[in-house]
């Protein structure tokens, strides 16, 4: 039959939003899979086939790919800089997920396969200054990616390419640059900078501490893509004939200090900043060069950081307040 759309990592942040959008588009039956117990998924939908399975196993991937037309692989053991720098082996073990999914997809007659890569594939020597040249797709080589997590992504990108070249499986690869938004990790050690900063501002506001801890000197620069742009981009790239890995990211460059300014303005607060210089902070500067995506799709992520952060703040505020209430009644 091959009419099922499979989302791997559907209990996670981006996977959950992708399932929500695929439902709206009536793409046919959707199978959503994640290793986490279902009560920990960020979003679930009753009209979707929700499955808990460990996709690092080949047998689980074989079952997952039965009758599947399209695979979206968003499953990975990952987190923000603090997690990536301290869990390199775990990050690299995600290679089993993409490899086994490719093997199973090819055998099951899957038509298209999407892999979520990352800007962490880019060579470290192109990201030494906060005043960055945006990263072009060709900057991934000669290879010197982020240790652990970035090497896994680069290897898996190449596996996608070889499955296309050697076995004719249509693969598509996007290199996401920091994605943020509601229904994602905001606490617990795997959260990324936008959610972490919002949570810290909320803690300072409601506990009245007047201070915020910032990892690094705050001058490191990044770009951050709002989740709605990410999902639109994934679907456009999957539908396109773009066979080489392509950037999917915002090109609105901001320093971490600038990001804190935005959150402080939303929260209407002004905090004293304590810089933790020995904390994991990643490369000094990173931005997305969107020339290629604009050329090939006539589109690029455009939701501003101010708009996206305001929506994310609202959602994390609700989660934060719900958690505080629970703690008080416990
Ligand atoms: P996430 O951690 O919220 O989602 C990943 C999901 O994969 C999790 O729910 C996790 O339980 C699941 N998973 C892990 N191991 C699994 C396994 N063995 N079998 C089945 N499921 C498994 O992360 P996310 O932010 O939604 O990221 C999705 C993808 O995008 C990942 O591949 C990530 O590396 C990539 N990416 C994300 C960002 C970002 O800023 N969020 C940036 C670059 C790349």
């Amino acid at each position: 039959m091959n009419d099922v759309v499979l989302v791997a990592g559907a209990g996670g942040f981006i996977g959950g939003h992708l399932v929500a959008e695929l439902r709206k588009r009536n793409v046919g039956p959707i199978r959503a899979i994640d290793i986490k117990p279902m009560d920990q998924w960020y979003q679930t939908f009753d009209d979707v086939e929700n499955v808990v399975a460990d996709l690092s196993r080949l047998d689980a991937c074989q079952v997952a790919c039965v009758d599947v037309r399209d695979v979206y692989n968003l499953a990975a053991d990952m987190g923000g800089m603090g997690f990536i720098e301290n869990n390199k082996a775990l990050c690299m073990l995600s290679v089993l997920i993409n490899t086994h999914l490719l093997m199973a997809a090819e055998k099951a007659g899957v038509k298209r396969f999407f892999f979520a890569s990352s800007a962490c594939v880019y060579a470290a020597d192109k990201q030494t200054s906060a005043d960055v040249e945006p990263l072009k797709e060709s900057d991934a080589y000669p290879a010197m990616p982020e240790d652990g997590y970035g090497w896994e992504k680069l290897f898996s990108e190449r596996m996608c390419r070889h499955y296309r070249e050697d076995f004719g499986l249509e693969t598509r690869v996007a290199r996401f640059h920091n994605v943020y938004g509601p229904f994602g990790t905001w606490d617990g050690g795997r959260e990324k900078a936008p959610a972490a900063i919002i949570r810290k501002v909320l803690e300072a506001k409601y506990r009245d501490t007047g201070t915020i801890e910032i990892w690094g000197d705050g001058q490191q620069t990044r770009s951050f893509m709002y989740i709605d742009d990410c999902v639109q981009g994934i679907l456009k790239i999957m539908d396109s004939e773009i066979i080489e890995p392509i950037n999917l990211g915002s090109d609105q460059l901001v320093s971490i200090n600038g990001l804190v300014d935005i959150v402080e303005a939303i929260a209407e607060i002004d905090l004293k900043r304590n810089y933790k210089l020995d904390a994991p902070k990643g490369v000094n500067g990173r931005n997305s060069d969107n020339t290629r995506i604009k050329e090939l799709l006539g589109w690029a992520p455009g939701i501003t950081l101010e708009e996206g952060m305001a929506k994310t703040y609202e959602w994390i505020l609700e989660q934060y307040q719900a958690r505080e209430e629970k703690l008080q009644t416990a």
Side-chain angles (χ1 to χ4, degrees), residues 9 11-15 34-36 42 53-56 74-78 97 116-118 149 153 176 178-179 192:
F13 165 47
I14 303 173
D34 204 286
I35 194 171
K36 288 190 297 201
Y42 288 114
D54 178 358
L55 294 173
S56 66
L74 296 139
D77 208 351
M78 61 91 68
I97 303 175
S117 185
S118 163
Y149 179 73
K153 291 293 187 194
F176 299 168
N178 302 300
V179 191
K192 297 188 149 208

Side-chain angles (χ1 to χ4, degrees), residues 59-92:
D59 55 354
C61 291
Q62 285 162 338
V63 174
C65 286
V66 170
D67 292 335
V68 168
R69 180 183 77 226
D70 297 332
V71 173
Y72 292 89
N73 178 17
L74 296 139
D77 208 351
M78 61 91 68
M81 225 43 235
F83 179 81
I84 286 176
E85 286 199 4
N86 293 307
N87 296 278
K88 296 187 180 118
L90 275 187
C91 288
M92 289 201 80

Side-chain angles (χ1 to χ4, degrees), residues 198 202 206 312-322:
I198 292 175
L202 286 170
Y206 288 99
T312 310
Y313 182 91
E314 284 310 314
W315 183 79
I316 295 180
L317 174 61
E318 276 170 29
Q319 310 308 304
Y320 180 84
Q321 286 174 333

Side-chain angles (χ1 to χ4, degrees), residues 21-189:
E21 182 63 21
L22 288 166
R23 284 174 71 246
K24 280 193 208 148
R25 295 190 181 200
N26 292 318
V27 294
I30 300 171
R31 187 172 296 148
I33 305 190
D34 204 286
I35 194 171
K36 288 190 297 201
M38 207 94 71
D39 61 0
Q40 288 173 29
W41 293 27
Y42 288 114
Q43 302 189 63
T44 47
F45 304 94
D46 291 342
D47 55 354
V48 164
E49 184 190 347
N50 296 307
V51 180
V52 174
D54 178 358
L55 294 173
S56 66
R57 297 173 55 104
L58 179 58
D59 55 354
C61 291
Q62 285 162 338
V63 174
C65 286
V66 170
D67 292 335
V68 168
R69 180 183 77 226
D70 297 332
V71 173
Y72 292 89
N73 178 17
L74 296 139
D77 208 351
M78 61 91 68
M81 225 43 235
F83 179 81
I84 286 176
E85 286 199 4
N86 293 307
N87 296 278
K88 296 187 180 118
L90 275 187
C91 288
M92 289 201 80
L93 281 172
S94 294
V95 77
L96 295 173
I97 303 175
N98 197 61
T99 306
H100 286 149
L101 265 178
L102 278 171
M103 290 167 70
E106 190 261 324
K107 288 278 179 287
V110 164
K111 300 282 172 289
R112 281 199 179 204
F113 186 105
F114 177 91
F115 173 62
S117 185
S118 163
C120 287
V121 300
Y122 285 115
D125 63 351
K126 302 252 169 44
Q127 306 173 75
T128 52
S129 153
D131 182 20
V132 281
E133 273 283 300
L135 292 157
K136 307 188 282 302
E137 284 77 0
S138 55
D139 289 330
Y141 295 97
M144 205 209 307
E146 174 78 35
D147 205 3
Y149 179 73
W151 277 107
E152 188 279 318
K153 291 293 187 194
L154 202 60
F155 175 89
S156 292
E157 283 191 358
R158 294 192 79 88
M159 275 296 268
C160 287
R161 169 175 160 180
H162 297 313
Y163 258 78
R164 179 171 47 76
E165 290 171 346
D166 295 358
F167 302 123
L169 175 60
E170 283 294 332
T171 53
R172 301 289 180 266
V173 176
R175 290 179 182 153
F176 299 168
H177 291 245
N178 302 300
V179 191
Y180 71 98
F183 298 102
T185 312
W186 60 280
D187 203 2

